[in-house]
Amino acid sequence: MAREGNQDTTAAWRFHNTTKYVGPAGLRDYADPEILMGEPPHRVQAMGEQDPAIEPLPYKIYTTLAPIPLPRDFPTSDLPALDAIAATGEIQISSAVPDVNSIARLCLRSNGLLKRWRSPSGREIEFRAAGCTGARYHLELYLVCGELLGLEPGVYQYAAHDHSLRQLRAGDYRAAVVAATGQEPAIAAAPLIAVWTSTFWRNAWRYQARAYRHVYWDTATALANLLAVAADARLPARVVLGFADDEINALLDVDGEREAAVSLVALGRSNDAPPDLPEIRPLGLTTLPLSEREIDFPEIGAMHAASSLTSGAEASAWRTGAFVPSVPSPVEAPIPLQLLDAAAAPTDSIDTVIERRRSNRHYAEETPVSFAALSTMLIASLKGTAMDCLIPDAPPLFTPYLIVNNVAGLSPGAYAVHPEQQTLELLRAGEMRDTASRLACDQDYAGIAHVNAYALTDLAPVLEHFGNRGYRVAQLEAALFGAKLQLAAHALGLGAVGSTSFDDEVTAHFSPHAAGKSFMFIAVFGARRRPSTAEVAEKSRFLQGQAQADA
Ligand SMILES: Cc1cc2nc3c(=O)[nH]c(=O)nc-3n(C[C@H](O)[C@H](O)[C@H](O)COP(=O)(O)O)c2cc1C
């Protein structure tokens, strides 16, 4: 995939268009929201069959490897959660080497199982640290490390179901990652490298081909937790999306088709260069079957293959070169964001926030959210994330837009956010609760919540610069904003939930400002209210019947 101009980006456009959600005109029926996917003449029912007989296991469980148990109690710093969430990952520090306690904490707080809960109807529900589309947990976390305090060098899988590590390879294999990334500097200096994979079927069982968008939405949701915990532990962190896919997959012994590496994170910094690369042999390890049979969604494989890189040299060339997106011009009457008074800012740690976070769909409709709370959340989540392919401090690839339903001092209406100026621009004033629900695929909580925040990206220049792999970058970067926004809401004692949207209706709603941009991500948030007993029971039905209720 060449970097110089005139790239063939048809695969990304084809995938994006065939996975757009479309709502039937005028229909608004919460009980049975009909969602279609794709473009004529190839429109399908978005939610697919979801045959319970083949519902996939949400864990990868190796059958022959012994667990290496991890601790569960960790010291935290006194960094307030909001500061941890706002951290970019860049830390000026010459050496920062995690030990087994930090590793356990990073794993548990990003991909771990926090608790099991029995619903009134008797069904056991598992809560993971980070949210995930439809609770269709499809991400695995692997670690590649040198010698660390409490952990020998190796390649490990984090087993979320029993909070332990499984050692896949003994010895220091970091050089394989350094080579696959084309000597990416943060990876080359990292004592620990996290590798996230997605097993597509575990999400596609419900969402079909759109699962490939969720790969990046859900990875970003888990990454927001991981990066905030790394900041609290004073570990530099950089997300790396430029890597030779087959080389990383071979290191993890995953096939790259059912399960594939989707993101790397360099964690910590040391001067100890990894030793020469040991030979990488296939492992042939057995794992529990996910389901009796699996359905293949060829659009996922096609998009993943079309956005893959084949060598470290290609990865290095891919990330080299500046890309600065053009930003909308400043407006005449900007509304400056106003940070919360430091004395009023909460001091809970990021661990406390992650432990208490649950997706919230019940909002105190009449109680306004303060403008300072909204401003603080936006500023924290727009500081950006250190990423191999993005320029630090450059504007984001996406433009943030808001539907404001109830924020003190702000007219209800549609707004554009200008991250550079830290201002809002009122695009259109007016009551938009019904529209907010409609855009969120006829989900009523979006109309009741105080704010709906969208990220829309002008994909054409992004794909022109980054090729088809730019689609991964655009989805992940936008979702990181949305995920940080949700964590920040929880840090402020508000509630939040990720959501989904009828793609083109979102663009139309924010146009002409958003004309030509594509829907990437939406986060919904506001002041929580305690649900009634009936609503709690409904919630348990909701979780059971997520197939209908939760898009
Ligand atoms: C990217 C993303 C999109 C989501 N979309 C929706 C949605 O459209 N509707 C909804 O009710 N919940 C949505 N959720 C919430 C998930 O259903 C929720 O995270 C999952 O059930 C796990 O529950 P928890 O977040 O309380 O841990 C979304 C979550 C994420 C991370």
Side-chain angles (χ1 to χ4, degrees), residues 335 337 365 367-375 377-378 400-417 423-437 439 445-454 485 509-510 522-526:
I335 305 164
L337 297 175
E365 197 172 350
T367 311
V369 162
S370 77
F371 182 57
L374 171 64
S375 301
M377 291 168 56
L378 286 171
Y401 291 95
L402 308 177
I403 290 182
V404 171
N405 290 330
N406 191 2
V407 174
L410 272 188
S411 308
Y415 291 80
V417 184
T423 58
L424 300 184
E425 171 185 358
L426 178 61
L427 301 177
R428 218 165 48 252
E431 174 72 39
M432 294 178 184
R433 288 188 185 276
D434 281 356
T435 309
S437 296
L439 296 186
Y445 64 75
I448 296 165
H450 300 67
V451 181
N452 287 221
Y454 299 84
L485 204 49
H509 184 67
F510 293 106
I522 163 180
V524 173
F525 54 88

Side-chain angles (χ1 to χ4, degrees), residues 127-135 137 207 217-218 221 357-359 361 440 443 445 486 497-500 521-522 542-543 546 549-551:
F127 291 102
R128 304 281 289 259
C132 183
T133 42
Y137 299 103
Y207 294 106
W217 296 4
D218 295 329
T221 305
R357 183 209 64 82
R358 293 268 65 79
S359 289
R361 302 175 185 85
Q443 298 185 88
Y445 64 75
Q486 291 173 67
V497 59
S499 202
T500 197
F521 198 83
I522 163 180
F542 167 77
L543 285 170
Q546 249 172 347
D550 173 5

